[in-house]
Amino acid sequence: MYTTQMDAAKKGIITEQMRLVAREENLEPELLRQLVASGKVAIPANRHHTSLSPKGVGEKLRTKINVNLGVSKDCYDMELELEKAKKAIELKAEAIMDLSCYGKTREFRRKLIEIAPVMIGTVPMYDAIGMLDKDLKDITVDEFFSVVERHAEDGVDFMTIHCGMNRKTAERVKNNKRLTNIVSRGGSILFAWMELNNQENPFYEYYDRLLDICEKYDVTISLGDACRPGSINDSTDAAQIEELITLGELTKRAWARNVQVMIEGPGHMALNEIAANMQLEKKLCHGAPFYVLGPLVTDIAPGYDHITSAIGGAIAAANGADFLCYVTPAEHLRLPTLDDVKEGIIAARIAAHAGDIAKGIPGAREWDNQMSAARADVDFPRMIELSIDPEKATQYRKESKPECEDTCTMCGKMCPMKNMKKILHGEDLSIL
């Protein structure tokens, strides 16, 4: 018998989840077992999530993407959020995080877990105030942990818990002025609770209690980065690195209890800092899978932050990031619409795939080579079939009809693909 995927791996057991992930990733099951045992791969799979099609996150695996959604007080529409979840599944996201922070969060969470074959994550801290119906200052340590246990019972596969925001890190924040302070919602709530009550972060002080819950349900801890930079000015500062060192220590403690871990990272970050930050996380956190939000490489593009995020995400993935959290065009502005969600997913998938090509994931280039062959053959139906977004490719093709069906309205009869194909086959060529 075993308690978690990591426990099984350490005991030499290849679980059904490992077999499925190994098959999908074209890895030998034994190699995957070793990676899970060492903590370099996590397979988030709560034993209560019966509809799950397991995925692996970490070394030697494809870069995965996560989609954030959930209801808020200003936009309370559970049916719309479920539509976003269905769209995320349709568009091949590997994970969905329910960030609901108002109303019947449990009803929504349970429905999501029931229908979703993808990994489900949550941030229990978001749910605490609404679920407990108390002012933040009055929430007790026991009540915080009761929220975590409820999420685990419901079948959540991974939880973001800001365990590294301890009082020492909080002092770093206060003593090293930032432009954007703490931008993590969960991190800022914990910081406020600590300040209001003059107490240590309960998830740091009673970390073993958290591990008890995670081990019981096989929940993967996504160690949250409360001090992730919210501007390129604040990246790689004292508070961020202080917290990262603490997360590395907490990682080893979790592994000793056979609890799987992912590490969350920046944030906003200039291009020239991304590679070093990926290497720093892998070193300080002992090769644990790295889950990044972006990073957004410039702060000036509200309405286009799916692009600033995809640029950073591709560089991060190429340099070792394992899991990208999508960012939509609505980031910093509003709750995303269904169209925003789609734009964010496609941008993140492009970034993840570009990163996989750069880090040599087996089979990553095959898709691109098939597309290039279709272009060389001027085979538009095949190009559309291979597109990351066939719906948009079809729409663009229909909106602008060429004179000749085997060209497009950009080049027409001057199409180099068509003309090279003819010349190399010894055919006559007329471009008049």
Side-chain angles (χ1 to χ4, degrees), residues 302-320:
Y304 299 91
D305 276 329
H306 59 311
I307 297 173
T308 65
S309 170
I311 293 168
I315 296 169
N319 286 279

Side-chain angles (χ1 to χ4, degrees), residues 225-430:
D225 52 336
C227 295
R228 70 171 181 264
S231 63
I232 61 171
N233 181 78
D234 295 343
S235 61
T236 324
D237 70 352
Q240 180 194 331
I241 302 306
E242 174 87 53
E243 184 179 30
L244 189 62
I245 292 169
T246 303
L247 297 184
E249 296 167 350
L250 295 174
T251 296
K252 294 182 81 171
R253 287 176 60 186
W255 286 347
R257 292 284 304 277
N258 298 317
V259 172
Q260 300 183 105
V261 172
M262 297 187 292
I263 306 295
E264 296 189 14
H268 294 233
M269 182 165 286
L271 283 169
N272 58 309
E273 294 182 50
I274 295 173
N277 267 264
M278 300 307 106
Q279 295 165 13
L280 194 61
E281 182 278 340
K282 290 291 183 178
K283 182 71 173 179
L284 292 176
C285 297
H286 323 292
F290 200 17
Y291 171 29
V292 297
L293 177 63
L296 283 67
V297 295
T298 178
D299 301 329
I300 64 165
Y304 299 91
D305 276 329
H306 59 311
I307 297 173
T308 65
S309 170
I311 293 168
I315 296 169
N319 286 279
D322 307 290
F323 197 13
L324 305 182
C325 187
Y326 90 148
V327 172
T328 77
E331 185 79 7
H332 303 113
L333 298 171
R334 67 174 187 204
L335 197 73
T337 65
L338 193 58
D339 286 341
D340 293 331
V341 167
K342 178 180 177 179
E343 290 294 312
I345 291 170
I346 296 299
R349 285 189 61 205
I350 293 168
H353 181 66
D356 287 348
I357 293 170
K359 59 188 175 189
I361 296 296
R365 284 179 178 265
E366 184 179 347
W367 185 4
D368 296 74
N369 292 341
Q370 289 175 0
M371 176 64 86
S372 296
R375 285 178 175 152
D377 288 339
V378 204
D379 186 346
F380 282 97
R382 179 63 173 157
M383 288 183 230
I384 290 170
E385 178 188 343
L386 289 165
S387 297
I388 197 165
D389 183 2
E391 182 182 9
K392 189 169 189 176
T394 300
Q395 175 192 336
Y396 276 32
R397 182 79 178 147
K398 286 181 176 179
E399 285 177 351
S400 189
K401 290 284 189 180
E403 178 185 355
C404 302
E405 278 297 314
D406 57 351
T407 65
C408 77
T409 53
M410 173 69 80
C411 297
K413 289 185 177 180
M414 292 185 183
C415 173
M417 295 296 194
K418 177 181 177 180
N419 294 338
M420 285 300 299
K421 186 178 178 182
K422 282 191 170 187
I423 290 295
L424 292 173
H425 281 84
E427 299 176 22
D428 289 334
L429 179 64
S430 174

Side-chain angles (χ1 to χ4, degrees), residues 25-314:
E25 300 280 354
N26 296 312
L27 281 183
E28 287 296 320
E30 173 57 22
L31 173 57
L32 182 64
R33 182 198 67 77
Q34 293 173 19
L35 290 167
V36 174
S38 68
K40 293 181 179 177
V41 165
I43 303 178
N46 186 315
R47 57 178 54 90
H48 288 181
H49 188 179
T50 55
S51 62
L52 177 68
S53 176
K55 304 292 181 185
V57 180
E59 190 174 300
K60 300 187 184 300
L61 309 184
R62 290 183 302 105
T63 306
K64 307 305 188 298
I65 74 159
N66 171 70
V67 169
N68 289 340
L69 47 80
V71 295
S72 69
K73 187 174 183 178
D74 288 320
C75 296
Y76 187 74
D77 187 337
M78 287 197 292
E79 288 305 314
L80 176 58
E81 296 309 302
L82 284 173
E83 283 301 307
K84 293 177 187 177
K86 291 171 184 175
K87 178 59 72 173
I89 294 164
E90 175 191 327
L91 293 174
K92 302 179 182 178
E94 288 87 8
I96 295 172
M97 287 199 79
D98 173 19
L99 305 186
S100 295
C101 57
Y102 179 77
K104 297 179 180 178
T105 56
R106 192 174 205 190
E107 178 184 330
F108 176 73
R109 182 168 60 250
R110 284 181 160 181
K111 181 63 176 177
L112 180 61
I113 291 167
E114 178 186 337
I115 68 168
V118 302
M119 299 179 282
I120 299 299
T122 60
V123 187
M125 186 59 61
Y126 293 178
D127 195 21
I129 295 172
M131 174 183 151
L132 299 168
D133 195 23
K134 296 177 71 172
D135 286 336
L136 176 62
K137 181 179 180 181
D138 298 329
I139 297 175
T140 67
V141 171
D142 287 344
E143 287 171 332
F144 276 135
F145 279 97
S146 73
V147 178
V148 173
E149 181 122 30
R150 177 175 286 193
H151 283 227
E153 288 172 351
D154 289 344
V156 171
D157 301 297
F158 66 99
M159 294 185 203
T160 294
I161 311 282
H162 298 89
C163 305
M165 165 57 81
N166 57 21
R167 299 196 75 173
K168 185 178 179 183
T169 306
E171 286 302 310
R172 291 284 187 195
V173 173
K174 290 188 283 186
N175 294 333
N176 295 269
K177 181 62 178 172
R178 289 174 143 196
L179 271 180
T180 49
N181 297 312
I182 292 176
V183 299
S184 160
R185 194 185 337 174
S188 66
I189 292 170
L190 266 175
F191 182 92
W193 185 90
M194 292 161 64
E195 291 291 301
L196 290 169
N197 290 285
N198 194 29
Q199 290 189 44
E200 181 57 276
N201 176 353
F203 297 113
Y204 178 78
E205 186 172 4
Y206 304 105
Y207 187 58
D208 286 328
R209 186 172 175 180
L210 177 62
L211 296 179
D212 288 341
I213 296 171
C214 293
E215 183 180 22
K216 180 178 176 182
Y217 298 93
D218 198 1
V219 173
T220 298
I221 299 180
S222 190
L223 286 170
D225 52 336
C227 295
R228 70 171 181 264
S231 63
I232 61 171
N233 181 78
D234 295 343
S235 61
T236 324
D237 70 352
Q240 180 194 331
I241 302 306
E242 174 87 53
E243 184 179 30
L244 189 62
I245 292 169
T246 303
L247 297 184
E249 296 167 350
L250 295 174
T251 296
K252 294 182 81 171
R253 287 176 60 186
W255 286 347
R257 292 284 304 277
N258 298 317
V259 172
Q260 300 183 105
V261 172
M262 297 187 292
I263 306 295
E264 296 189 14
H268 294 233
M269 182 165 286
L271 283 169
N272 58 309
E273 294 182 50
I274 295 173
N277 267 264
M278 300 307 106
Q279 295 165 13
L280 194 61
E281 182 278 340
K282 290 291 183 178
K283 182 71 173 179
L284 292 176
C285 297
H286 323 292
F290 200 17
Y291 171 29
V292 297
L293 177 63
L296 283 67
V297 295
T298 178
D299 301 329
I300 64 165
Y304 299 91
D305 276 329
H306 59 311
I307 297 173
T308 65
S309 170
I311 293 168

